[in-house]
């Protein structure tokens, strides 16, 4: 999806709003609200195993 320039531009706008609101990417380990970002790879789509791995990092 990020290979689509219009989608990528919309995502960057949304991402900037999340960051401005104090929602930080998971890898920053900042505590508080967490932004989980996933990527769809061309020809493979979204890997639910990666989504599950990320969820386990933040859910009790």
């Amino acid at each position: 999806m990020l290979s689509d320039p219009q989608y990528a531009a919309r995502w960057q706008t949304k991402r900037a709003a999340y960051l401005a609101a104090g929602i930080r990417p998971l890898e920053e380990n900042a505590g508080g609200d967490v932004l989980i970002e996933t990527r769809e790879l061309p020809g493979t789509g979204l890997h639910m195993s990666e989504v599950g791995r990320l969820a386990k990092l933040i859910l009790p």
Side-chain angles (χ1 to χ4, degrees):
M1 303 268 299
L2 290 175
S3 60
D4 176 347
Q6 291 177 331
Y7 179 90
R10 287 192 312 269
W11 168 239
Q12 286 306 316
T13 300
K14 289 178 188 178
R15 189 177 194 278
Y18 288 127
L19 297 176
I23 302 170
R24 310 309 304 173
L26 179 63
E27 55 273 359
E28 287 187 14
N29 294 318
D33 293 329
V34 176
L35 177 62
I36 296 178
E37 298 175 87
T38 60
R39 302 271 189 287
E40 288 187 16
L41 302 175
T44 62
L46 184 62
H47 289 274
M48 291 309 295
S49 59
E50 177 65 3
V51 172
R53 184 190 73 79
L54 293 170
K56 288 178 184 175
L57 292 174
I58 64 164
L59 296 175

